[in-house]
């Protein structure tokens, strides 16, 4: 990223001089890297400020472009607020919303989805990997269902499939062709890239997706997202994706091993429940609920020793128990007493041992009411 703050400072939109060309070349190369990572084409990639903006552009952009064909949207109760809130906003404008539930594993039912599709459904938005539990939804099956339902329609209006893949890119293989995905939101900062940059994949050829821009102005990004691009951040995002994908098979296995190690060591403690499917989840995620303790007290006890969270960073400011865990059938008490372990590239076996010891000691002390161990 560094040279693009100083040596190559041109505006990639200024194509009348070499400064602009250098920046433009870097953007094109980043666009190709991202497109290749998800089996898309460079023209399909629209750079944004992150996944929040990509989700807003996808959902509101589709609603605005297709509202004459239908006003029904489908999403899932466990989605990130950056999907649920734009959908709820559209409800206030007269769109109809179906929010699918999930089972105790955190997975949607394809039968429920098929039953929810209506002649006026224009968009299905289902995330690739959940940000709290790491649960992986069956993207290829969902894409196939949307495509088949579209083809059997008398009006042939396409049911578009959007997926928020903020947590999935660089961690699991993603293929927009085989999974029949029309729109996909990405972000850099969940894979060690810079914060404040992301992208929306928008299928630009057969079947081409129409999108109403949400930012109007200079017409950058095929007119879909006006505003001068930020070369250092975009170069950083592409590098982060490239590194994550190059390492994916080995890194997934390493994370799975670390997670098993952590989970095994925590077995010494009774009253721990895994939240969500063990099998269908990101390798680096372990989400547990702890019985008989207050979630807030556990977090308070751990925070000087572990960088851990109870749920989403976007929700950690408020004390509401996770909507994701409650949608999976957890009581508000168990949902509030959740620990989300995120195991990543720089974690080691020794750190798993430390984490397990600290968690066990903290919870045992809380259960025995030994408050002198608490900060
Ligand atoms: C982090 C995250 C977002 C928001 O992404 P930003 O780039 O921070 O706007 C959206 N969806 C999911 C699933 C996320 O994990």
């Amino acid at each position: 990223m560094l040279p693009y703050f100083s040596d190559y400072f041109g505006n990639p939109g200024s194509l009348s001089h070499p400064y602009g060309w250098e920046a433009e070349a870097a953007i094109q190369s980043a666009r190709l890297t991202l497109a290749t990572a998800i089996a898309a084409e460079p023209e399909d990639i629209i750079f944004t400020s992150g996944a929040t903006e990509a989700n807003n552009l996808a959902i509101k952009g589709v609603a605005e472009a297709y509202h004459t064909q239908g006003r029904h949207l489908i999403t899932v109760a466990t989605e990130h607020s950056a999907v649920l809130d734009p959908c709820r906003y559209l409800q206030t404008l007269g769109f109809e919303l179906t929010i699918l539930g999930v089972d105790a594993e955190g997975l949607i039912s394809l039968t429920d989805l098929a039953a929810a599709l209506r002649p006026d459904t224009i968009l299905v938005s289902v995330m690739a990997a959940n940000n709290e539990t790491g649960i992986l939804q069956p993207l290829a099956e969902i894409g196939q269902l949307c495509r088949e339902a579209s083809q059997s329609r008398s009006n042939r209006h396409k049911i578009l499939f959007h997926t928020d893949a903020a947590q999935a890119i660089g961690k699991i293989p993603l293929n927009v062709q085989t999974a029949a995905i029309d729109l996909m939101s990405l972000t850099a900062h969940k894979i060690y890239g810079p914060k404040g940059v992301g992208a929306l994949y928008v299928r630009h050829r057969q079947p081409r997706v129409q999108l109403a821009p949400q930012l109007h102005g200079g017409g950058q990004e095929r007119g879909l997202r006006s505003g001068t691009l930020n070369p250092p951040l975009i170069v950083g995002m592409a590098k982060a994706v490239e590194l994550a994908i190059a390492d994916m098979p080995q890194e997934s296995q390493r994370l799975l091993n670390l997670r098993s190690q952590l989970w095994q060591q925590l077995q010494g403690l009774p009253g721990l429940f895994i939240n969500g499917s063990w099998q269908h989840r990101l390798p680096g995620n372990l989400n547990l609920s702890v019985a008989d303790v207050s979630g807030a007290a556990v977090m308070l006890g751990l925070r000087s020793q572990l960088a851990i969270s109870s749920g989403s960073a976007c929700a950690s400011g408020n004390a509401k128990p996770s909507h994701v865990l409650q949608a999976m059938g957890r009581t508000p008490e168990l949902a509030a007493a959740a620990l989300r372990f995120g195991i990543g590239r720089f974690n080691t076996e020794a750190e798993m041992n430390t984490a397990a010891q600290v968690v066990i000691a903290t919870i045992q002390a809380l259960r025995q009411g030994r408050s002198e161990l608490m900060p």
Side-chain angles (χ1 to χ4, degrees):
M1 293 168 66
L2 283 176
Y4 293 92
F5 285 108
S6 49
D7 300 349
Y8 308 115
F9 54 81
N11 177 345
S14 300
L15 297 181
S16 54
H17 50 68
Y19 301 109
W21 300 338
E22 288 162 353
E24 161 71 1
I27 299 291
Q28 288 317 333
S29 153
R31 211 184 284 287
L32 179 63
T33 302
L34 287 198
T36 309
I38 59 172
E41 295 179 15
E43 296 84 348
D44 299 334
I45 303 295
I46 306 296
F47 287 110
T48 67
S49 62
T52 300
E53 189 193 331
N55 286 340
N56 273 267
L57 176 56
I59 294 167
K60 295 179 199 166
V62 163
E64 211 178 310
Y66 291 87
H67 73 279
T68 54
Q69 302 184 9
R71 302 192 130 229
H72 179 232
L73 316 165
I74 300 176
T75 189
V76 183
T78 51
E79 292 291 314
H80 192 276
S81 50
V83 164
L84 286 172
D85 286 355
C87 288
R88 291 192 186 113
Y89 166 73
L90 288 168
Q91 253 184 322
T92 70
L93 301 184
F95 285 84
E96 288 180 54
L97 179 62
T98 298
I99 301 183
L100 299 172
V102 295
D103 62 14
E105 304 260 88
L107 295 163
I108 66 160
S109 142
L110 293 168
T111 321
D112 287 357
L113 173 57
L117 294 174
R118 309 191 325 205
D120 60 341
T121 305
I122 51 175
L123 182 70
V124 170
S125 181
V126 181
M127 71 199 323
N130 185 271
N131 48 302
E132 293 184 32
T133 58
I135 296 303
L136 308 175
Q137 299 293 352
L139 296 187
E141 286 80 358
I142 298 168
Q144 195 187 347
L145 217 160
C146 291
R147 192 151 281 184
E148 280 168 8
S150 309
Q151 279 158 3
S152 66
R153 283 174 156 187
S154 51
N155 57 14
R156 299 252 153 185
H157 285 157
K158 175 91 181 82
I159 300 168
L160 295 171
F161 175 29
H162 166 249
T163 187
D164 176 352
Q167 291 283 338
I169 180 78
K171 296 181 190 149
I172 56 166
L174 291 171
N175 185 317
V176 296
Q177 309 306 341
T178 55
I181 295 164
D182 299 299
L183 301 119
M184 178 186 280
S185 301
L186 304 173
T187 191
H189 71 102
K190 309 285 168 69
I191 45 167
Y192 315 98
K195 284 165 274 293
V197 64
L200 180 66
Y201 149 80
V202 188
R203 186 186 291 279
H204 86 289
R205 79 160 98 204
Q206 289 320 346
R208 185 188 178 91
V209 175
Q210 308 294 326
L211 211 54
Q214 302 299 303
L215 292 177
H216 301 88
Q220 287 87 348
E221 301 299 88
R222 291 202 275 125
L224 293 177
R225 201 276 192 179
S226 286
T228 301
L229 294 175
N230 187 328
L233 294 191
I234 289 171
V235 165
M237 176 173 188
K239 193 68 190 176
V241 167
E242 188 187 306
L243 292 172
I245 286 183
D247 265 2
M248 200 190 290
Q250 309 85 288
E251 181 64 0
S252 301
Q253 193 52 53
R254 198 185 71 88
L255 294 176
L256 285 173
N257 293 344
L258 289 179
R259 185 176 71 186
S260 299
Q261 183 197 338
L262 177 59
W263 175 234
Q264 249 152 34
Q265 297 197 11
L266 290 173
Q267 295 305 304
L269 203 60
L272 286 189
F273 306 97
I274 292 189
N275 290 316
S277 165
W278 184 247
Q279 191 193 345
H280 302 282
R281 80 196 296 149
L282 291 175
N285 177 290
L286 181 63
N287 189 313
L288 306 174
S289 280
V290 190
D292 309 322
V293 291
S294 123
V298 179
M299 294 313 295
L300 211 64
L302 290 178
R303 73 179 179 194
S304 62
Q305 300 166 84
L306 286 187
I308 191 169
S309 67
S310 62
S312 159
C314 308
S316 59
N318 60 43
K320 272 195 289 176
S322 152
H323 73 280
V324 173
L325 300 181
Q326 291 190 80
M328 292 160 59
R330 288 286 185 225
T331 59
E333 294 71 40
L334 276 181
L339 297 179
R340 178 183 68 164
F341 296 86
I343 308 167
R345 188 181 291 166
F346 304 104
N347 285 130
T348 62
E349 285 184 20
E351 285 171 335
M352 296 306 112
N353 295 339
T354 310
Q357 283 162 14
V358 169
V359 169
I360 291 172
T362 304
I363 291 172
Q364 279 175 344
L366 278 172
R367 283 184 176 155
Q368 293 160 9
R370 297 215 323 264
S371 58
E372 75 273 15
L373 278 186
M374 297 294 106

